[in-house]
Amino acid sequence: MSVISFVSGKVRGRRPGSVGAEGAAPSQNKRAGAESEAIPGEGAKFRLRDVSLRYGNRPVLEGITMDIPERRITAVIGPSGCGKSSFLRCLNRMNDLVEGCRLEGLVLLDGEDIYAREYDVTALRRRVGMVFQRPNPFPKTVYENVAFGPRIFGIKDRETLDGIVELSLKRAALWEEVKDKLREPALALSGGQQQRLCIARVLAVEPEVILLDEPCSALDPIATQRIEDLLAELKENYTIVIVTHNMQQAARVSDYTAFFLIESQGEPGRLVEFGDTATIFTAPADPRTERYITGRFG
Amino acid sequence: MNAGTAGNGPRHTVLRRPGARDGGFGEGDEALRVMERAAGVDEGKAGLTEGSAGQGEKPAQRPGVKPLYLGRKDRIAEAAEKAARRAFLADRVARLGIWSLSALALSVVALVIGVILWNGLGTALSPSFLFGKPEAMREGGGIWPMVVSSFYLAALTLLMVIPLGVGAAVYMSEFAGEGRLTRLVRFGADSLSAVPSVVFGIFGMVVFVIYLDLGYSLLAGALTLTLLNLPTVMRSAEEAVRSVPVSYREAALALGCTRWETVKRAVLPVAMPGITTGAILCVGRIVGESAAVIYTVGLFVRKVPWSPLRPAAPMAANIWHMYTEGALVPDWFRVASGEAAFLLLLVLTLNLAARWVAGAVRKRMGYRV
Ligand SMILES: Nc1ncnc2c1ncn2[C@@H]1O[C@H](COP(=O)(O)OP(=O)(O)O)[C@@H](O)[C@H]1O
Ligand SMILES: [Mg+2]
């Protein structure tokens, strides 16, 4: 505990991208192959140091050390069950909801330890938004879905809300399709529109990071294409982490790729390789990455 | 291949017939076809089309057919035919049984409704009866104070039972977690809902009417009915809250809601149709309840009871009163029948309303109902 508060105390307030956390973080370079924490030329939004995660006594992730670059798209790939979703949920502490879930190691957002005792989880989740595998708009109107977050902040003024809703829908490339349907139920939209609505709903709370957990797995190719285009636009302003088990998608949209793997049943998932997407897909350093990418297992 | 060829057609024709005739026999039919195909394979082609084997043609006349399989096709066909007959018969018997049981149930309902409406509908629909003042000794009295009593009692009860029931349900399913406490509460609720309402009536009389000195009053009755209905309201609300998909909770939490905000803004609105249905059905049970009310509220009043501390006479209790000691008014049967008919219409309306409201709300939410 003292180490953590020391680190977060020391690092807090520094500019993102400074090397602050580096020196203080314990146990770097424990394993060869995962020594990719500092990506040259990029500021890190998240820094993970030797992160392990357990559900009860079942280890799910172990020894994850990586930096997630700011305003870039980072893809997380790996066979199912290797802990990709769990990894993503570490970043906005959605794992807190799972009983018996324990995290060890450090997760720093802009240098701040998000697992520190006094850290405000609701504030964290506003900064780090999440889009889920199945589109999950509330059974309310399109408008009310986007206004949901702002209303929680206590924004009541009609005009302000209208403005936020319009802007968010525009940023999510959905405005043209729904501007005449704002008062209609969100569940009447198509799957792809619903997913973009969910993105708009996240954008409406002005996050800095957007986490997406296989956002296209329930969508058809055209809807998928739309979302991918949208992500490319959004990375100008947001840090994006996307879990996908579609390798082509990872190759198409992401700047960096992290490959997770569990060696065998019951083992925790580990970060096998992390680097810029072009390298991972053309010249992976680890033979397991190559085997996975060429489709030989998983 | 129509029904008339039974008996003299080729064997497989006979056995297809139940399926072909019945229309609801698709599965058995398909199974037969599969079997026929299996049997026909050895003849190189689907040999059953012309019914050759069925008519006992010698396999030796057809080149390439092995005599070894001669008997097998017949055996398969025979077994299949038997199975089809059995299934056909079982299907008929089951249908007849289910149909007659439903008819019986429906006709009992129709009979009850019919008798009550026949006796009382005319009375119930006359304004002078519905809005009239009750008579204690003479004939020609109305039931307006009883109508008000019933609704007043229902409103008072709902005011207490809905917040308590929904609150308990939300606490149990959203905050408490599975544990000994929730199991105990659920067990208690289930046990309570098995207790006859007259027991609640006696309890209410002892505790609220006598011990707390509320006297026979709407409040004493409402407190008793709250206890009586709490288990059902709680369980139905819990059901409604639990059936809200986890994905809505996750969405709200991921947007930075606290747990309470999540419940308030994401869970409860979605659970509302279910909770509303439960509440409306609860109103039906309250206005229909007599035993618990007889001991706590009262049987007969002449004036509309405006204060909750006044005695009152909900319709269900008054009906009972009319049939037992109500003979003081000569037209007691007319009053009781009219009241019963009105009560029946009310409860039926409430049940329909419950369905309609839930459906309408769900539709507005965008669910395909
Ligand atoms: N809430 C949970 N409770 C217990 N085990 C879980 C829970 N969620 C996931 N797991 C387990 O953690 C492992 C990783 O799951 P997950 O992160 O969903 O993998 P992925 O998203 O890569 O398919 C799986 O073996 C899964 O069974
Ligand atoms: Mg997953």
Side-chain angles (χ1 to χ4, degrees), chain A residues 80-86 133 213-214 243 245:
Chain A
S80 69
C82 69
K84 303 181 298 293
S85 300
S86 305
Q133 188 165 352
D213 193 350
E214 302 190 22
V243 167
H245 59 211

Side-chain angles (χ1 to χ4, degrees), chain B residues 107-133:
Chain B
S107 52
V108 168
V109 171
L111 188 74
V112 170
I113 293 180
V115 166
I116 289 176
L117 291 186
W118 176 261
N119 282 329
L121 189 62
T123 318
L125 291 184
S126 88
S128 66
F129 174 73
L130 200 56
F131 301 109
K133 201 171 178 181

Side-chain angles (χ1 to χ4, degrees), chain B residues 9-357:
Chain B
R11 180 157 254 160
H12 66 277
T13 315
V14 176
L15 62 218
R16 270 193 179 199
R17 267 198 31 256
R21 192 174 44 190
D22 195 58
F25 223 84
E27 232 170 70
D29 213 30
E30 181 58 33
L32 283 187
R33 239 173 277 132
V34 169
M35 284 182 164
E36 285 172 359
R37 239 178 279 132
V41 160
D42 300 310
E43 297 184 52
K45 280 195 159 197
L48 284 180
T49 42
E50 295 311 326
S52 52
Q55 280 158 358
E57 270 174 48
K58 293 274 172 291
Q61 291 172 339
R62 302 181 58 172
V65 176
K66 292 175 188 159
L68 183 61
Y69 293 96
L70 171 63
R72 183 176 149 189
K73 189 168 66 186
D74 284 342
R75 279 205 307 280
I76 292 175
E78 222 168 277
E81 183 181 4
K82 257 191 203 160
R85 286 239 172 87
R86 252 196 324 265
F88 178 66
L89 207 69
D91 182 67
R92 269 294 145 93
V93 169
R95 270 192 211 187
L96 195 73
I98 291 170
W99 189 88
S100 49
L101 279 178
S102 339
L104 184 71
L106 271 181
S107 52
V108 168
V109 171
L111 188 74
V112 170
I113 293 180
V115 166
I116 289 176
L117 291 186
W118 176 261
N119 282 329
L121 189 62
T123 318
L125 291 184
S126 88
S128 66
F129 174 73
L130 200 56
F131 301 109
K133 201 171 178 181
E135 292 293 347
M137 311 293 276
R138 289 178 299 157
E139 56 189 71
I143 57 162
W144 183 236
M146 286 71 178
V147 176
V148 174
S149 296
S150 280
F151 281 104
Y152 204 156
L153 186 65
L156 270 183
T157 309
L158 281 192
L159 220 57
M160 293 186 278
V161 79
I162 296 296
L164 273 177
V166 174
V170 166
Y171 175 75
M172 294 224 316
S173 56
E174 299 293 312
F175 295 98
E178 271 325 288
R180 194 176 290 173
L181 177 73
T182 45
R183 273 205 303 278
L184 195 71
V185 171
R186 237 173 252 135
F187 174 74
D190 289 344
S191 312
L192 270 186
S193 53
V195 174
S197 59
V198 64
V199 176
F200 280 91
I202 304 285
F203 175 85
M205 182 175 74
V206 171
V207 174
F208 301 127
V209 175
I210 299 172
Y211 182 73
L212 292 182
D213 203 19
L214 292 172
Y216 284 106
S217 62
L218 284 167
L219 185 60
L223 286 167
T224 309
L225 287 176
T226 297
L227 293 183
L228 177 64
N229 284 299
L230 189 56
T232 13
V233 169
M234 192 178 87
R235 290 309 294 263
S236 74
E238 202 187 344
E239 197 63 37
V241 168
R242 266 179 206 284
S243 68
V244 176
V246 179
S247 64
Y248 297 154
R249 285 166 239 251
E250 280 186 331
L253 287 164
L255 286 168
C257 288
T258 61
R259 278 175 96 183
W260 169 238
E261 283 165 345
T262 304
V263 168
K264 196 175 81 175
R265 290 173 185 261
V267 177
L268 280 182
V270 181
M272 220 18 109
I275 294 174
T276 313
T277 311
I280 296 178
L281 292 178
C282 180
V283 174
R285 283 196 303 275
I286 294 169
V287 296
E289 176 59 41
S290 53
V293 162
I294 286 168
Y295 293 103
T296 52
V297 183
L299 301 172
F300 180 79
V301 286
R302 291 203 67 208
K303 281 196 196 137
V304 172
W306 292 120
S307 155
L309 293 172
R310 301 276 307 156
M315 284 180 279
N318 189 247
I319 294 172
W320 181 81
H321 169 73
M322 285 292 159
Y323 270 102
T324 50
E325 311 150 51
L328 285 181
V329 288
D331 62 344
W332 60 269
F333 184 75
R334 183 191 69 96
V335 175
S337 302
E339 225 171 350
F342 180 70
L343 199 54
L344 181 71
L345 289 179
L346 185 66
V347 173
L348 286 181
T349 314
L350 283 172
N351 279 292
L352 285 180
R355 295 173 131 223
W356 182 82
V357 167

Side-chain angles (χ1 to χ4, degrees), chain A residues 89 92 94 97 122 125-126 128-130 132 136-140 148-149 151-153 185 187-188 201-202 205, chain B residues 177-178 247-259 261-262 265-266 269-270 363-368:
Chain A
R89 288 161 159 266
N92 64 347
M94 284 296 277
L97 308 170
T122 57
R125 295 196 184 131
R126 281 163 201 185
V128 184
M130 188 165 212
F132 297 83
N136 59 349
F138 297 115
K140 303 172 186 251
F148 187 91
R151 280 194 200 280
I152 298 286
F153 303 160
L187 294 178
R201 182 174 66 183
V202 166
V205 305
Chain B
E178 271 325 288
S247 64
Y248 297 154
R249 285 166 239 251
E250 280 186 331
L253 287 164
L255 286 168
C257 288
T258 61
R259 278 175 96 183
E261 283 165 345
T262 304
R265 290 173 185 261
V270 181
K363 202 163 175 186
R364 227 190 54 203
M365 286 176 170
Y367 290 109
R368 284 170 205 99

